[in-house]
Every structure is written in C-alpha cells, then in structure tokens.
Amino acid sequence: MSHYEAPIREPLVLGDKSYHDITEDIAKPIEGKANKNWYIAFYISLAAMLWGFGCIFYTVGTGIGVWGLNKNIGWAWDITNFVWWVGIGHAGTLISAVLLLFRQKWRMAINRSAEAMTIFAVFQAGLFPIIHMGRPWNGYWVLPLPNQFGSLWVNFNSPLLWDVFAISTYLSVSLVFWWTGLLPDFAMIRDRAVKPFQKKIYALLSFGWSGRAKDWQRFEEVSLVLAGLATPLVLSVHTIVSMDFATSINPGWHSTIFPPYFVAGAIFSGFAMVQTLLGIMRKVTNLENYITRLHVEYMNIVIILTGGIVAVAYASEFFIAWYTGSPYENYTYMSVGAATGPYAWAFWSLIIFNIIIPQALWFKKVRRSFIWSFIISIAINIGMWFERFDIIAIVLSKGHLPSTWWRFEPTFIDVGIFIGTIGFFFVLFLLYARTFPVIAQAEVKTILKSSGENYKKLRDGNHE
Amino acid sequence: MSNKVIHAFYNDDEVVLDAVKKVKAANHHIEEVFCPFPVHGLDKAMGLAPTRLAITAFIYGITGLGVAIWMTNYMMIQDWPQDIGGKTNFSWWLNMPAFVPIMFELTIFFAAHLMVITFYMRSRIWPFKEAENPDPRTTDDHFLMEIPVHNNEDELTSLLKETGAVEINVVEKH
C-alpha cells in the first residue's frame, strides 16, 4: 500500500521496467559511443562558440565602441541577452525546487537536465555584464573587498550590485543543489564502470558516496531545505533583474509591475527552453520511456499559465501607457507609438511569438504533440528575446527631446557574441548529455512502483 | 575479537523495510543498510535519530543575515558614507530598505552552502574520498544489510533467509 497511486493518474515511467533497467537506460548514453548527429551538433556549437569568443576578444581589445551603442542607447543587445539567459535559467530551479515542495513526481525525469540548463544559462548570462565592463580584468571591483582606492566600497544602494549578489548566490546555490543530487547517480556509474580511467573519474565526482541509510536520511532533508531556500531565491533573482529597470526614473521602465511580470516571463521562457532541449534529448539518448507525452503536457500547462500572466502584464502596460495621456508614454515598449513606429517589427514579433502562437497550447492535441511543443517552444524563445529587446531598445530610442531620438542598430560583433553564447551553451549541454546521468535515476527508482506503467497495471488490474 | 559481519542482500525496498523491522524485533544490532535510493521509513525502522541539518541551516541563515547587516552598516554608514541620490547615509535603519536584497541573498547564501558543507562533513563525503559500500550492486538495485556476528551465525542466517534475503554472505570486516 505504501506505493499506492490513484489509477486515474497516467504512468510516468513507461514500459516494463525494473530497478536494474533504469540503471541500464540511464547509464547507456554515458557508456556507449556518440553517434554522428551528436558530433555534427557538437562541431556546429563549437564553431559558434569560437566565433563568439573571437568577437569577445575583439570587443575587449578595441573597446565597447565596436557595438552598436550610441549616446542615447547605452545598453541594448548585451543586456537583452543577459536578461534572456537569466530568465531561461529560472525553469530549472522551478522544476527542482518548487515542484519538489509541491511533491510533483513528474519533476524527477526532467529536473537534472533542467538544472543543468539553469547552470549553463547563468554562465552565459554572467558573461555579458563582465564583457560590458569593458575592462573585465577589473571585474572583481563589484565585490566588497578592502582596497587602496580611498576605502571605496561597493554601493549597496544600487540594483546593479544587488544583481551581482543575486546572480552569484543563485548560480552557486543551484550548483550545489545539482551536484548533491548527482552524487548517488555518479556513484551508480562508478560502481558499474569497467574502464579504470572512467571508474577513477566517477569515483572522484561521486565524492565517495556509499548510500548508507543515514546518508539518505540527510540527503532527503538537505534536498528539502535546499528546495525551500531555492524557491524564494529563484523568485528574487528575476525580481532584482527587473529592478535594474524598475528603480530607474525612465518612463516605460519605472513600473511597479515589473518584478512579478519578469518572474512570470522568466519561467515562461525557461520552460520553453526545457521543451526545446528535452524534445531533442529524449530522442538522442533513447529516454522516451522516461520523458513522456505526459511530461511534455505538464510543462505546456506551466507555459500557458505563465504566458497568460505575461500577456495580462502586456495588456495592462499598454492600457496604462494610453490612459496616462502623456505623449512620452506613447513611445514606451507597449504603446501605440511602439506598434506603429520604426520598431513596429520588433513590437509585432513580440506579440506574435509570445502571445498569439502559445495560445495553440489550449488544445490538448497540440499540448500532447512532441513536434508542436517543440515548434512553439522555439517561438517562445524568440518572443522572449524580443520582449527584452523591446523593453530596452524601444524605451531608450525616444528620449524627452527630439535630439535624443536615436535608433539602435546592432553590429556584427553584437550578433556574434550572442551566437557565441548560444554555441557555448550547447557545447556545455552536449558534453553534459554524454558524461552525466541525465535523469535523476535514484529518484526515479523511488517512484517506479507508484507511477511505473507495469506496476500500475498489476495493481489496478487491466482496465483497457 | 572476530570482526565477522553478515551481508544480507535484498532486491526490493518493501522487503528490506520489513526485514529491518523483523531483525530489530529479534533484538539484533543492525550495523548499516546500504541502499540505491532512499527508502521511506527506513531510518525510523532502524532507530536512527532524526537529522538536525535543518536546524543548522536556520542558524547559518541567521548568521548570514547578521553578516549582511554588519557589512552594509560598516561599509555604507560607518567607514565611508557617500551621498548617493540623496539617500540617507548617516543611519543604517533609514537606509535599510535599499539593503533588503543584500540581506536576503546573504541569508540564503550562508544557509545553503554551510548546510551542504555540514552535510558533506557529517556524512564524510568529499572529493577523493573512497567509497565504502561493500558491494557495487548497492548503487544499482540491491539493498545490503550489515549485521555483526557474535557466535550466532546460524541463527542470524536462518532469520535473514526468512525475511526474504536473496543472498547472504559472512565476511571478515577490516
């Protein structure tokens, strides 16, 4: 009875699986050889990454002038990418922390990869403020260190510094949360490894995990408390990112709706990226029995919810901009001016990709379709990038005086660095998919008896 | 003194849980149970004390909050007050709203990291540590119960057989 689950719930692990089968399935991508598709994807990502690194070196060597910024638009493409990447990171923590607190069993098949995505995405995000410093070797100036510059401390009143603390706390806490969960799975790989070198590496990575009853007791307690800590943390991170804008006095940015709306947008875009990655990964690593249609549908439900919150936020921003009657508000990112002005293409891209296309997910057929979920997730990734671009570039492009009306046009360096971070992200993710247990197998084993298809059939009788 | 122990293998979480209860009821000391995944209720059945890691996390969190308060006060108010957008720079309390994000983040930072470090130290896991599970199957699909033998090998073996052990080995523990 301890493994009872209502028959009405769909199974989360398909097929006739035993504990040992789970071990085999998860270890297979690590122990086998990579196929041709993996190498093609890897080399394309590597090329993009190296191109991006070239652009970064050029920027650092020459100066920020190589970007498309001008006297009015002091940050645009780079901060757009920063916010985009941080937002993508949010889904991983939401899945592993918030869904743990809500005891959602379906998180177990996807939390490992979603958290890997979080960590790799936050790496990319962190690059942009450091590059934008222009002198990245002085990056340590953002830390509150005693120094010889007349005791010049960091400014704790500034949202940019809050961001430093929020992002670094987020990255480091996500990393230990992820790694602690990985220990038993690394131990599993270690104990079945045949090649001595592989055994050594996984012995090192597993920190000598032995799986004593006391260790498991502590492990579960630590997971629960970390989830409790990570839940407010993940909500705080994009709140603080939004304060970079909301605490300024720029109309269009100075908006109290920003924190909740940014957090919803972050989860929206993060889940879209999880869909994109897992849509590919379940095929490549033959894990179709663990990442099922049901998982895809649940994620799509989160997407339609958070996407709805974002749509309502857009509507209220648009309404307020019109309702103020202030001519200046007519040029903010959600306004008639934006919809008809020189950035109309960016405005409408946002509306189409972020609001209109995701509405298809209201249909159960679409929600449960792998290919449609994948296509819609790509649309949302693009739409959420445009959201940040619109907020930043459109608002800055129309100042109070006509002399401050400038347009932002990206240079190939701007674009190159962005492409480079996408390449870097996929390089990390592809290496991860070959070397790490991509599913939290110890956790999946705990739900096999309650949610495995074979056990459910045995228990409920064959109703079909 | 002999260091003989019995290693009893099980391949089902419910069976091992019942076995632990039966062995306990027969008044034998269970040295250790190695599991491939957490078994709900096993710690209680074995009579393990509840872990206090959550309490340490609370204490570490309070410490982090204290550090944040001290740091913001020392750097922004005491050591080098500056006029930043006309914000109050002579009183920590009046400047406090701007420090809330820092206090929050450092609370989380201290609580999370120090708790995990405490966990690693208490469970003796760290890089380059040798694994101590006696059989590689215990990270795959087998549960291993380790019971010290005090001239009662036959009695223990028959008891463990009854509880559903799939394999029983008597080994010398070093």
Side-chain angles (χ1 to χ4, degrees):
Chain A
M1 271 312 272
S2 66
H3 289 296
Y4 177 76
E5 186 184 81
I8 197 169
R9 290 193 181 273
E10 280 180 61
L12 292 168
V13 182
L14 301 180
D16 191 15
K17 300 283 178 200
S18 67
Y19 293 139
H20 185 65
D21 293 334
I22 296 179
T23 306
E24 290 283 336
D25 290 343
I26 312 284
K28 205 174 274 163
I30 301 170
E31 291 167 351
K33 282 213 160 41
N35 58 18
K36 214 170 90 193
N37 289 339
W38 187 89
Y39 277 105
I40 293 171
F42 183 76
Y43 284 122
I44 293 173
S45 310
L46 193 68
M49 180 180 108
L50 294 176
W51 175 251
F53 281 0
C55 291
I56 292 173
F57 284 127
Y58 183 57
T59 304
V60 172
T62 316
I64 301 295
V66 300
W67 291 355
L69 305 174
N70 52 52
K71 73 174 179 63
N72 247 52
I73 302 179
W75 56 358
W77 197 283
D78 56 317
I79 188 82
T80 300
N81 299 339
F82 164 76
V83 181
W84 190 70
W85 278 119
V86 175
I88 284 172
H90 278 53
T93 322
L94 193 96
I95 290 170
S96 56
V98 180
L99 297 185
L100 187 147
L101 295 183
F102 284 105
R103 294 173 188 268
Q104 295 296 306
K105 290 180 190 164
W106 58 278
R107 113 200 123 79
M108 288 170 187
I110 52 174
N111 64 350
R112 176 69 40 76
S113 297
E115 259 185 273
M117 177 198 79
T118 294
I119 290 160
F120 302 152
V122 177
F123 277 160
Q124 311 310 326
L127 281 175
F128 286 100
I130 294 174
I131 304 166
H132 201 173
M133 285 172 184
R135 298 176 186 84
W137 50 92
N138 286 338
Y140 70 94
W141 286 5
V142 301
L143 302 174
L145 299 169
N147 58 64
Q148 297 295 312
F149 312 125
S151 278
L152 189 63
W153 296 107
V154 293
N155 175 13
F156 285 113
N157 289 306
S158 163
L160 297 177
L161 191 74
W162 303 344
D163 238 358
V164 172
F165 276 72
I167 303 277
S168 43
T169 303
Y170 182 49
L171 177 62
S172 64
V173 171
S174 297
L175 197 64
V176 296
F177 196 3
W178 188 55
W179 205 272
T180 304
L182 271 164
L183 295 177
D185 296 359
F186 278 142
M188 178 274 279
I189 306 280
R190 170 198 74 204
D191 282 349
R192 53 179 279 130
V194 251
K195 296 177 205 152
F197 179 69
Q198 204 178 28
K199 205 172 191 79
K200 252 200 189 118
I201 291 292
Y202 286 102
L204 170 63
L205 295 177
S206 69
F207 290 8
W209 174 268
S210 306
R212 293 188 176 85
K214 188 74 189 175
D215 296 347
W216 280 116
Q217 184 201 38
R218 292 190 182 121
F219 178 92
E220 291 208 288
E221 181 97 343
V222 164
S223 304
L224 184 66
V225 175
L226 277 181
L229 291 169
T231 298
L233 177 64
V234 66
L235 299 181
S236 83
V237 173
H238 231 62
T239 300
I240 291 176
V241 169
S242 83
M243 286 172 182
D244 291 345
F245 304 101
T247 59
S248 74
I249 49 167
N250 234 338
W253 286 357
H254 188 71
S255 176
T256 46
I257 203 177
F258 264 27
Y261 144 48
F262 266 51
V263 171
I267 295 164
F268 182 50
S269 70
F271 267 87
M273 190 56 111
V274 176
Q275 290 278 38
T276 310
L277 291 177
L278 292 186
I280 303 169
M281 206 181 76
R282 63 186 290 283
K283 278 271 170 229
V284 179
T285 52
N286 294 319
L287 293 170
E288 282 109 327
N289 284 325
Y290 300 93
I291 302 164
T292 67
R293 236 173 247 290
L294 186 64
H295 291 92
V296 170
E297 186 182 8
Y298 281 151
M299 285 193 275
N300 278 331
I301 291 172
V302 178
I303 287 177
I304 194 97
L305 170 74
T306 48
I309 297 173
V310 170
V312 170
Y314 292 159
S316 77
E317 288 278 85
F318 196 94
F319 172 76
I320 295 294
W322 168 78
Y323 192 63
T324 56
S326 150
Y328 190 85
E329 289 275 347
N330 193 32
Y331 289 110
T332 60
Y333 72 103
M334 274 291 149
S335 61
V336 180
T340 55
Y343 280 110
W345 56 276
F347 177 89
W348 289 106
S349 302
L350 163 67
I351 301 294
I352 291 166
F353 287 123
N354 244 8
I355 302 185
I356 296 172
I357 293 179
Q359 299 312 315
L361 294 173
W362 284 105
F363 299 100
K364 195 167 178 123
K365 272 236 165 69
V366 179
R367 217 159 54 216
R368 287 181 73 91
S369 150
F370 291 115
I371 185 74
W372 281 112
S373 300
F374 184 76
I375 293 169
I376 291 171
S377 75
I378 301 276
I380 297 171
N381 287 328
I382 299 170
M384 284 306 291
W385 190 87
F386 271 110
E387 181 201 293
R388 280 64 177 256
F389 181 78
D390 288 6
I391 291 177
I392 295 153
I394 297 184
V395 166
L396 288 177
S397 68
K398 284 267 170 30
H400 284 97
L401 297 167
S403 62
T404 58
W405 293 1
W406 283 66
R407 300 253 331 258
F408 171 76
E409 269 160 29
T411 63
F412 81 94
I413 302 287
D414 280 305
V415 183
I417 295 178
F418 181 49
I419 290 171
T421 54
I422 295 176
F424 191 10
F425 176 78
F426 276 98
V427 163
L428 291 172
F429 199 83
L430 286 164
L431 289 175
Y432 151 82
R434 293 273 307 121
T435 48
F436 278 48
V438 293
I439 285 181
Q441 52 91 25
E443 286 191 87
V444 170
K445 283 172 185 170
T446 63
I447 60 158
L448 178 67
K449 281 191 176 176
S450 60
S451 309
E453 191 182 17
N454 47 345
Y455 284 96
K456 278 183 97 75
K457 272 203 181 123
L458 267 180
R459 193 169 47 231
D460 309 331
N462 210 337
H463 295 299
E464 264 125 303
Chain B
M1 193 186 141
S2 93
N3 274 328
K4 264 192 190 170
V5 290
I6 283 195
H7 283 168
F9 290 81
Y10 298 84
N11 59 7
D12 189 282
D13 50 340
E14 280 157 292
V15 175
V16 78
L17 188 58
D18 283 338
V20 165
K21 286 176 186 160
K22 278 179 198 154
V23 173
K24 273 298 215 190
N27 283 325
H28 292 290
H29 171 69
I30 299 176
E31 182 64 33
E32 196 55 75
V33 180
F34 293 92
C35 308
F37 56 84
V39 179
H40 194 69
L42 183 67
D43 49 343
K44 280 211 182 83
M46 284 173 70
L48 296 178
T51 168
R52 291 164 293 177
L53 278 169
I55 301 167
T56 67
F58 180 76
I59 296 166
Y60 295 143
I62 297 286
T63 312
L65 182 66
V67 168
I69 291 172
W70 171 82
M71 191 169 73
T72 46
N73 180 57
Y74 173 70
M75 292 176 188
M76 301 299 291
I77 311 295
Q78 304 297 330
D79 191 45
W80 200 274
Q82 297 172 84
D83 185 350
I84 294 157
K87 282 186 181 150
T88 322
N89 62 5
F90 52 84
S91 149
W92 182 85
W93 182 248
L94 292 176
N95 205 167
M96 189 272 288
F99 302 147
V100 168
I102 302 290
M103 294 194 289
F104 173 79
E105 298 298 337
L106 284 190
T107 307
I108 303 276
F109 187 88
F110 273 63
H113 288 294
L114 293 178
M115 174 183 64
V116 169
I117 291 169
T118 311
F119 166 48
Y120 287 0
M121 302 305 269
R122 290 290 290 151
S123 276
R124 309 184 61 75
I125 43 181
W126 46 73
F128 299 103
K129 173 86 191 318
E130 291 282 329
E132 284 160 356
N133 49 333
D135 192 289
R137 283 173 292 172
T138 61
T139 52
D140 177 8
D141 60 346
H142 279 71
F143 302 80
L144 189 154
M145 197 194 299
E146 186 177 295
I147 303 169
V149 180
H150 304 288
N151 300 324
N152 52 356
E153 201 179 306
D154 298 334
E155 183 205 336
L156 266 175
T157 312
S158 64
L159 173 70
L160 290 168
K161 271 239 168 67
E162 246 171 66
T163 61
V166 289
E167 185 183 323
I168 297 170
N169 302 327
V170 182
V171 290
E172 200 70 35
K173 198 179 178 185
H174 306 291

